[in-house]
Amino acid sequence: MVRICEGVYLGVQRRQYYMNLLLLAYQSFGVVYGDLSTSPLYVYKSTFSGKLRQYQDEETVFGVLSLIFWTFTLIPLLKYVTIVLSADDNGEGGPFALYSLLCRHAKLSLLPNQQAADEELSSYYRNGFAPRNGSAPWLRRFLEKHKKMRTVLLLIVLCGASMVIGDGVLTPAISVLSSMSGLQVRATGLEHRSVVLLSCIVLVGLFALQHRGTQKVAFVFAPIVIIWLFSIGGIGLYNILHWNPNIYQALSPYYIVKFFRKTGKDGWISLGGILLSMTGSEAMFADLGHFTSASVRVAFVTVIYPCLILQYMGHAAFLSKNTFHMPTGFYDTIPEPVFWPIFVVATLAAVVGSQAVISATFSIVKQCHALGCFPRVKVVHTSRWIYGQIYIPEINWILMVLCVAVTVSFRDTTLIGNAYGIACMTVMLVTTFLMALIVIFVWQRNIIFALVFLVFFGSIEAVYLSSSLMKVPQGGWVPLVLAFIFMSVMYIWHYGLRRKYQFDLQNKVSMRSILSLGPSLGIVRVPGIGLIYTELVTGVPSIFSHFVTNLPAFHEVLVFLCVKSVPVPYVSPDERYLVGRIGPKEYRMYRCIVRYGYKDVQRDDDNFENMLVMSIAKFIMMEAEDASSSASYDIANEGRMAVITTTDDAGTPLTMRDFNGLADSMTTRSSKSESLRSLQSSYEQESPNVSRRRRVRFEVPEDDDMGQQVKDELMALVEAKHAGVAYIMGHSYIKARRSSSFLKKFAIDVGYSFLRKNCRGPSVTLHIPHISLIEVGMIYYV
């Protein structure tokens, strides 16, 4: 009986797993495959647009089809579906996901804010792999020892990220323009500039709707892509049977050899058009976050691969018997009775492909910002249910302007395709290089496997990239210029942050000088909590001395708060807070590090202050229970911190109760005068965001087992919270030293200063209420 029940339970679990797998595979069509599935709109037109027009015969068509088939099989199917999808970072993909994996298994990060406590995160290391191990320890030591090599690695990653942003500009332009060009096939009197105008209108509408979010994109767009795929697959099968059933012979690689023997250099240059058949493959890995690798594989193998291969074969069969149509595009192969329905579906599919790439661009910018490689921008969480769906207004409008500019300037899918091919192949080459390091450091395979992977796929992609680079004068310069601009912005921002952090690290306030001031710190300690924001994870920042010098009084409880991004996609709420103590207990000084992953969205949590107080209270109790902490203060133990669980109420030393404004005035002790309280209440009435904040009252329970010293410290914390919380932040100006080189002065005084002045302020990014914000200026000479 027990075995029967276990069998039924396992059967239900297996059925539920397959249902979820099919559901995720269905959703992936609307998010992952929009770009890849619209490639047939422009592949053959771009391939035969150059000197390959001179070879208008059946043998050339067979060679082009053979190249497309083997390219599509080796790169999307073998490389991405079979190998790269297995290198996800806890379900996340993309260049920065690979880079974060490498930084966790080797000390490759340039920002020196790593802690040993970060390695204890549950998602820090992949299951089954030992920390910082590998098949080539000498290579890891070489990269960790030489800072220049780590800088080169970062620049390679930034290059890949910049090209992904370039995809966000070029994909909507080429997809929408290719789909709208079908109007000229039937409406012969329509001028090309009218098609360009209609394409720009569609693009502006697409970007204007981004603020509504993409939480329903999977369910709404998936049917469109599926209908499109089955439509082009059916059209391809029809063209095979109707025009040339022998087209299957072109699947033999022998025709590739014949193609290059015949076309020579012209055939090599035409590879820039053939590579467009696999553009969008990187989206399978970059957009992995909302799906599983199994669901993405199922969707590709069962629908994407067969439908696209049938379409490319059918198009080749049509061209082999209608060689005069070679310079034209996809729409000539559509039977006349179904032309307009296919045109409508193609336009919608182009919009879907554009939407997926725009969303991926938002994600990559968010990852760059989280890892300190992009200026502060506004990140809007657009979905209450789907975690990670974001919208970035500044990036959205920049993409729209650039996309419309490219469409109006080039007006030709062939020229845009030249630029598109360079961007996509660069991303693929960066992924191949990073994957070779993943094989060594993360998968811990022999270095020979990494070299085989790098040489095999890298050589194929290098050949395609070399062909695309020949077309730099014909539009290929666009992604290079965009990549240079975005790389410069990201590296200068990262360089400025790194120099600022190093300055803080080298100019920390010594604990001996703080201890010499005594518990009062040499000033008046007034009721309240002072949250001092700092980027340091250890020690007291130099700006603290400016606070003490410029403010005649300071709060009774001081908390040095560090909001830190760690190289993992998500940090569990139970592992988010690290709390420690600064100085002896009577100083009432604490350190709190709030850790976020690069995919976490820092929401405006009204409960943050309460969670912070509860975390400190739990730390006080944990410290009291530790016998070693009851000894006298020791500077050697200054860096000790504890992970505080915030979701578990068990063992909470404080009770928290909601109350209204009337109860506040009656029951809550406050050091504020009657006039100050009336000013605060009037401000809260005029500011709905402040009045909606959860207001609670903390109480210390009467527990006889609790020591008097612990009870006094908890009472001081509670009274300080009721008196009010002030957010204290340094308003820093960074200047290069006079002895610095010209490049450093330009990067710091011009580049970083311009970016800092024109991006969002740190108080806005951290959702700090303006009524409670105190800023003190300081100049950093780096």
Side-chain angles (χ1 to χ4, degrees):
M1 186 67 180
V2 174
R3 292 181 179 178
I4 294 176
C5 292
E6 289 180 353
V8 172
Y9 176 73
L10 292 175
V12 172
Q13 275 193 324
R14 192 178 297 110
R15 192 180 305 112
Q16 186 66 33
Y17 168 78
Y18 287 120
M19 288 179 62
N20 291 335
L21 178 64
L22 293 177
L23 178 62
L24 288 173
Y26 165 78
Q27 293 176 346
S28 67
F29 287 107
V31 176
V32 176
Y33 293 115
D35 185 14
L36 187 63
S37 63
T38 54
S39 296
L41 288 170
Y42 41 78
V43 169
Y44 281 101
K45 182 179 179 181
S46 298
T47 303
F48 287 101
S49 61
K51 293 184 179 180
L52 213 61
R53 293 181 181 179
Q54 304 172 7
Y55 306 91
Q56 295 187 3
D57 52 53
E58 183 175 335
E59 187 176 280
T60 304
V61 174
F62 274 46
V64 170
L65 174 60
S66 185
L67 276 168
I68 291 175
F69 171 77
W70 286 105
T71 299
F72 199 77
T73 301
L74 291 176
I75 303 299
L77 181 61
L78 181 59
K79 175 188 169 182
Y80 278 95
V81 173
T82 306
I83 301 174
V84 176
L85 286 181
S86 301
D88 63 290
D89 182 11
N90 294 283
E92 296 297 328
F96 265 95
L98 297 178
Y99 181 65
S100 67
L101 268 176
L102 292 173
C103 288
R104 302 204 302 266
H105 288 79
K107 296 179 180 179
L108 302 178
S109 178
L110 292 172
L111 198 62
N113 63 346
Q114 297 87 10
Q115 292 176 280
D118 295 339
E119 300 181 16
E120 298 175 2
L121 290 170
S122 58
S123 58
Y124 199 82
Y125 294 113
R126 289 172 62 95
N127 294 331
F129 296 103
R132 283 203 291 271
N133 200 356
S135 59
W138 59 269
L139 179 60
R140 177 169 59 83
R141 289 193 298 269
F142 175 78
L143 293 175
E144 292 177 350
K145 181 180 179 181
H146 294 83
K147 183 180 178 181
K148 291 184 179 179
M149 299 307 299
R150 289 182 285 144
T151 304
V152 170
L153 178 62
L154 176 64
L155 289 174
I156 291 174
V157 175
L158 293 182
C159 178
S162 301
M163 288 297 182
V164 171
I165 299 174
D167 278 351
V169 175
L170 298 171
T171 298
I174 191 172
S175 298
V176 174
L177 187 59
S178 297
S179 63
M180 298 302 291
S181 64
L183 290 171
Q184 292 181 292
V185 176
R186 292 295 183 264
T188 54
L190 187 66
E191 295 184 359
H192 186 65
R193 59 184 178 183
S194 300
V195 174
V196 174
L197 178 61
L198 290 174
S199 301
C200 292
I201 293 174
V202 173
L203 289 171
V204 171
L206 174 65
F207 284 100
L209 293 175
Q210 292 298 313
H211 71 281
R212 296 187 176 273
T214 56
Q215 62 266 29
K216 298 181 180 179
V217 66
F219 287 100
V220 175
F221 287 166
I224 296 173
V225 177
I226 292 175
I227 293 172
W228 164 252
L229 286 167
F230 282 115
S231 298
I232 62 176
I235 292 172
L237 184 60
Y238 166 80
N239 287 326
I240 292 172
L241 298 176
H242 184 265
W243 293 107
N244 192 349
N246 295 323
I247 196 68
Y248 71 90
Q249 297 176 2
L251 303 184
S252 170
Y254 170 69
Y255 284 92
I256 298 178
V257 178
K258 293 181 64 177
F259 173 79
F260 284 112
R261 282 179 180 174
K262 182 177 182 180
T263 59
K265 182 181 178 181
D266 295 336
W268 169 63
I269 295 177
S270 70
L271 292 177
I274 293 173
L275 69 84
L276 296 177
S277 62
M278 58 181 173
T279 54
S281 301
E282 66 277 4
M284 285 190 289
F285 186 53
D287 292 334
L288 191 61
H290 304 302
F291 308 98
T292 62
S293 56
S295 62
V296 174
R297 288 184 173 115
V298 167
F300 184 88
V301 173
T302 58
V303 179
I304 298 292
Y305 186 80
C307 287
L308 289 181
I309 292 299
L310 281 175
Q311 165 57 31
Y312 288 127
M313 291 178 65
H315 200 151
F318 174 83
L319 291 178
S320 66
K321 302 301 181 183
N322 301 273
T323 54
F324 57 90
H325 281 284
M326 282 185 178
T328 59
F330 161 81
Y331 288 101
D332 289 318
T333 66
I334 303 175
E336 187 171 350
V338 296
F339 175 83
W340 289 112
I342 296 298
F343 171 77
V344 173
V345 176
T347 304
L348 294 175
V351 172
V352 172
S354 305
Q355 174 66 62
V357 175
I358 293 170
S359 300
T361 304
F362 293 156
S363 296
I364 198 71
V365 169
K366 170 66 174 63
Q367 293 181 27
C368 294
H369 169 253
L371 296 177
C373 296
F374 205 89
R376 292 180 293 268
V377 290
K378 182 179 181 180
V379 179
V380 181
H381 196 74
T382 59
S383 175
R384 188 176 299 177
W385 299 278
I386 303 177
Y387 198 77
Q389 291 287 351
I390 59 175
Y391 165 68
I392 303 177
E394 296 93 333
I395 300 300
N396 182 66
W397 302 124
I398 291 174
L399 290 180
M400 186 193 74
V401 172
L402 292 176
C403 189
V404 173
V406 168
T407 305
V408 173
S409 300
F410 289 154
R411 304 184 180 188
D412 186 4
T413 56
T414 301
L415 295 177
I416 302 175
N418 295 338
Y420 189 32
I422 292 178
C424 292
M425 291 313 304
T426 304
V427 176
M428 290 184 180
L429 262 176
V430 169
T431 302
T432 300
F433 175 74
L434 294 177
M435 273 299 303
L437 296 179
I438 290 290
V439 171
I440 299 173
F441 296 136
V442 183
W443 290 357
Q444 301 174 16
R445 303 293 183 186
N446 195 293
I447 194 173
I448 296 177
F449 290 99
L451 290 176
V452 169
F453 178 88
L454 180 63
V455 171
F456 180 74
F457 291 108
S459 59
I460 296 174
E461 292 161 355
V463 170
Y464 277 106
L465 182 61
S466 64
S467 173
S468 297
L469 291 175
M470 295 295 295
K471 300 179 180 179
V472 168
Q474 293 82 37
W477 56 270
V478 173
L480 300 179
V481 172
L482 291 177
F484 176 78
I485 294 174
F486 284 111
M487 276 186 67
S488 300
V489 169
M490 289 190 285
Y491 185 76
I492 288 175
W493 183 261
H494 185 268
Y495 178 74
L497 286 183
R498 194 167 73 241
R499 298 299 300 180
K500 181 177 180 292
Y501 189 90
Q502 289 173 349
F503 180 91
D504 277 333
L505 203 61
Q506 295 168 1
N507 295 274
K508 292 189 296 185
V509 180
S510 67
M511 280 306 303
R512 297 191 182 278
S513 61
I514 292 179
L515 293 175
S516 65
L517 296 175
S520 67
L521 299 177
I523 53 177
V524 179
R525 302 291 291 269
V526 297
I529 296 179
L531 295 183
I532 303 176
Y533 278 86
T534 175
E535 296 177 1
L536 288 180
V537 294
T538 58
V540 178
S542 58
I543 203 167
F544 178 69
S545 60
H546 285 251
F547 292 145
V548 176
T549 304
N550 290 276
L551 297 177
F554 230 170
H555 300 83
E556 183 181 4
V557 175
L558 295 179
V559 181
F560 289 86
L561 184 64
C562 174
V563 180
K564 171 188 172 183
S565 291
V566 290
V568 297
Y570 301 102
V571 175
S572 170
D574 287 339
E575 300 175 315
R576 179 154 292 162
Y577 287 84
L578 275 175
V579 180
R581 186 186 295 278
I582 297 178
K585 295 181 179 180
E586 56 269 17
Y587 278 56
R588 302 290 191 262
M589 296 170 63
Y590 308 93
R591 179 187 309 283
C592 180
I593 299 176
V594 186
R595 301 179 292 185
Y596 289 95
Y598 59 80
K599 293 287 286 184
D600 279 322
V601 176
Q602 301 178 24
R603 301 183 181 181
D604 186 5
D605 194 351
D606 297 341
N607 203 30
F608 173 74
E609 293 178 3
N610 302 328
M611 294 177 65
L612 184 64
V613 171
M614 294 295 289
S615 299
I616 295 175
K618 285 187 176 182
F619 168 77
I620 293 172
M621 291 295 297
M622 290 174 60
E623 190 183 42
E625 294 173 358
D626 186 2
S628 61
S629 65
S630 61
S632 59
Y633 173 74
D634 186 2
I635 294 181
N637 296 328
E638 184 62 39
R640 293 180 57 186
M641 302 190 73
V643 180
I644 305 299
T645 303
T646 57
T647 58
D648 185 12
D649 294 334
T652 302
L654 301 179
T655 56
M656 186 169 58
R657 298 179 182 177
D658 293 320
F659 69 98
N660 53 29
L662 293 176
D664 183 15
S665 62
M666 294 171 57
T667 61
T668 306
R669 295 178 57 186
S670 176
S671 63
K672 296 180 181 179
S673 64
E674 191 68 30
S675 59
L676 287 177
R677 287 201 296 269
S678 62
L679 284 174
Q680 182 180 9
S681 61
S682 62
Y683 174 82
E684 291 175 352
Q685 291 176 2
E686 295 175 0
S687 304
N689 291 333
V690 176
S691 61
R692 283 199 302 264
R693 289 181 176 271
R694 184 186 179 192
R695 306 187 65 191
V696 300
R697 179 172 183 264
F698 289 96
E699 295 179 353
V700 179
E702 295 294 335
D703 190 353
D704 296 335
D705 295 334
M706 187 183 300
Q708 187 61 40
Q709 188 179 11
V710 175
K711 188 177 295 185
D712 292 342
E713 190 171 4
L714 291 176
M715 283 298 300
L717 178 65
V718 169
E719 291 179 2
K721 172 62 175 69
H722 292 164
V725 178
Y727 296 80
I728 306 168
M729 180 172 290
H731 194 79
S732 58
Y733 295 88
I734 301 179
K735 300 286 185 180
R737 293 192 181 99
R738 292 182 179 180
S739 59
S740 302
S741 64
F742 172 78
L743 285 177
K744 183 178 179 180
K745 288 182 178 179
F746 180 81
I748 297 296
D749 296 343
V750 180
Y752 184 80
S753 178
F754 174 81
L755 294 175
R756 187 188 60 81
K757 291 178 181 178
N758 290 276
C759 71
R760 299 176 70 85
S763 60
V764 179
T765 306
L766 295 169
H767 309 291
I768 297 175
H770 293 290
I771 191 176
S772 305
L773 177 63
I774 301 173
E775 287 188 301
V776 176
M778 181 177 178
I779 298 179
Y780 287 74
Y781 289 100
V782 298

